Amino acid sequence: MSSGDDRRSQALAKPALSEAQACAVVESEFGFQVSEIQPLPSYDDQNFRVRVSRPGDAAGGPTEYVLKISNTESSKNPDLIEVQSHVAVFLYEAGFPTASVCRTRDGGVTSLVSVDSGSQTKSHLVRLLTYLPGRPIAEVPVGPQLLYEIGRLAATLDKTLEEFHHPKLRCLRREDFIWNLRNVPLLEKYLSALGQNRNREMVEEVLRLFKDEVLPKLSHFRECVNHGDLNDHNILVEPSEPASGEAAFRVSGILDFDDMSCGYYVFEVAIAIMYMMIESRDPMGVGGHVLAGFESVIPLTPAERGALFLLVCGRFCQSLVMAAHSCRLHPENAEYLMITAKTGWKHLQQMFAMGRRAVEDLWFDTARSYGSGVPV
């Protein structure tokens, strides 16, 4: 298949259900009558916020849900989506602010539906999750206290998942999954989306350093299951009582387990640092606060700390390169796809300009200043 054919194939994988089709899915697969429906932004799947009408004898249950419609490629791997759904349930029962999963009419957590797309019929796995309250962290001012809590949350989540067991857990070993941080070198096949410019040269330098300095160290990192996408739109917050005069927030929701895979503890903190940098007024200072929160639960080893700078750079490259690639496939979704790119290139350039040693010193000195783990 040519690269052009490959791009067209991937573009056709994204669901494109109408609101009427989405309502019909909710009613046929989950047994609810939809009273209101609203599209939600998404990367390569399709999401709807739905409000349902309940009969009088079912009063008291949730009335708002998110209908998640997986793309055709993901829908070919039902075991993976089943495990991801059970992880969300496991974390919900462990006290994390995750969505609960609504069972299908048949008692499952997913259902495979056939949808007429006009020229052909496509099959998509669908799930219905409870709607979580709050605003994306991207929409609120983020200070040291909240950054610390995000780091602590990331570590606690990974540590809790040590106790998760499922007969199909092995499917999280996604060897060629482009969003697993170990697979940063796989970005080489997508670099044409960047053209020939300084940004591409910078990415190529990260890839070279990553292959030379990170990949040989992987055996020294501690393994775990990663959420893999604790970004500024997948963490929801609500106002809380401030300890001082400043606005304060608490985490009210953790979204999107679709990028889960087997990885390493240091991957989770690197991903969280990178995404918390996106909206910050002091992006270079973010890492120390997130790291302090993470290390209050899981202190990093010297080998893990030594890779942190390149892991954060690697995640920037994954996000920026794949956004450019996806915009070729889905130009109609460019505004959502390019959220990170609005400031991401600038932050990556700034990290390079400061240099690894200066950035690491800033992060590690900030984390050290927390001392006992109580934010300063």
Side-chain angles (χ1 to χ4, degrees):
M1 181 183 289
S2 71
S3 60
D5 289 339
D6 183 54
R7 286 197 296 271
R8 284 191 291 274
S9 175
Q10 291 181 55
L12 291 172
K14 184 176 173 67
L17 275 69
S18 67
E19 292 184 5
Q21 288 174 316
C23 289
V25 166
V26 173
E27 294 167 10
S28 65
E29 304 303 315
F30 301 96
F32 293 136
Q33 182 74 34
V34 176
S35 59
E36 187 178 340
I37 188 165
Q38 174 187 352
L40 295 172
S42 60
Y43 196 85
D44 54 8
D45 297 322
Q46 191 177 20
N47 299 327
F48 289 93
R49 179 179 179 178
V50 296
R51 183 181 291 274
V52 302
S53 302
R54 288 184 170 276
D57 60 354
T63 58
E64 284 195 273
Y65 295 89
V66 172
L67 174 68
K68 292 185 66 68
I69 306 158
S70 297
N71 64 69
T72 54
E73 290 304 309
S74 296
S75 296
K76 295 174 183 176
N77 194 347
D79 287 351
L80 176 62
I81 293 179
E82 178 185 339
V83 170
Q84 292 166 347
S85 300
H86 280 287
V87 164
V89 172
F90 173 79
L91 291 172
Y92 176 81
E93 292 175 347
F96 287 82
T98 60
S100 59
V101 179
C102 180
R103 295 283 176 169
T104 67
R105 284 180 180 269
D106 297 330
V109 294
T110 66
S111 185
L112 186 66
V113 300
S114 297
V115 180
D116 184 359
S117 63
S119 59
Q120 59 182 299
T121 299
K122 298 180 181 180
S123 295
H124 298 283
L125 279 171
V126 298
R127 289 168 284 173
L128 195 65
L129 310 175
T130 53
Y131 183 83
L132 295 175
R135 299 164 60 190
I137 202 170
E139 297 179 0
V140 304
V142 180
Q145 173 72 47
L146 187 53
L147 291 170
Y148 179 93
E149 292 303 324
I150 296 303
R152 186 173 178 83
L153 173 70
T156 306
L157 189 152
D158 281 6
K159 194 165 186 64
T160 301
L161 287 178
E162 292 177 1
E163 304 301 320
F164 176 75
H165 302 286
H166 191 280
K168 299 174 183 176
L169 186 62
R170 187 175 181 82
C171 69
L172 291 182
R173 294 193 175 278
R174 307 164 73 179
E175 299 298 333
D176 296 323
F177 182 48
I178 192 63
W179 292 105
N180 188 304
L181 261 180
R182 71 158 67 232
N183 291 328
V184 164
L186 296 183
L187 293 174
E188 288 177 341
K189 65 186 288 189
Y190 301 102
L191 292 181
S192 61
L194 301 179
Q196 295 292 339
N197 50 45
R198 171 56 185 150
N199 287 342
R200 176 167 177 163
E201 292 173 1
M202 191 164 49
V203 171
E204 289 173 337
E205 177 68 4
V206 172
L207 299 190
R208 183 186 68 78
L209 291 170
F210 200 96
K211 287 187 283 187
D212 290 346
E213 301 184 29
V214 176
L215 293 186
K217 294 181 181 178
L218 288 178
S219 62
H220 299 290
F221 300 164
R222 292 165 296 168
E223 295 186 41
C224 70
V225 172
N226 293 141
H227 175 281
D229 197 18
L230 289 176
N231 69 48
D232 47 333
H233 288 266
N234 282 343
I235 300 174
L236 303 178
V237 295
E238 287 185 323
S240 64
E241 291 296 326
S244 62
E246 297 183 6
F249 298 90
R250 64 174 184 85
V251 174
S252 61
I254 305 170
L255 306 177
D256 197 350
F257 289 81
D258 293 354
D259 284 357
M260 283 189 65
S261 62
C262 293
Y264 305 89
Y265 287 117
V266 68
F267 282 9
E268 200 79 272
V269 67
I271 291 168
I273 287 173
M274 176 261 163
Y275 283 118
M276 292 307 104
M277 290 173 67
I278 294 299
E279 306 292 341
S280 175
R281 290 170 292 183
D282 177 26
M284 295 304 114
V286 160
H289 302 293
V290 177
L291 180 61
F294 193 91
E295 291 198 310
S296 71
V297 178
I298 304 173
L300 297 185
T301 66
E304 291 165 343
R305 275 193 162 212
L308 192 57
F309 175 87
L310 283 176
L311 288 171
V312 173
C313 289
R315 185 55 167 204
F316 267 117
C317 291
Q318 285 178 316
S319 182
L320 295 166
V321 172
M322 294 312 295
H325 171 70
S326 296
C327 277
R328 284 174 142 187
L329 306 180
H330 306 292
E332 76 286 352
N333 201 26
E335 182 177 356
Y336 178 77
L337 293 171
M338 297 302 288
I339 287 174
T340 300
K342 290 178 181 178
T343 56
W345 287 115
K346 180 176 66 176
H347 294 342
L348 185 57
Q349 291 163 2
Q350 189 176 354
M351 289 181 72
F352 264 66
M354 285 184 65
R356 184 192 308 192
R357 177 61 64 84
V359 174
E360 287 180 341
D361 286 348
L362 176 59
W363 289 350
F364 299 157
D365 287 348
T366 300
R368 193 178 303 114
S369 73
Y370 278 68
S372 65
V374 178
V376 295

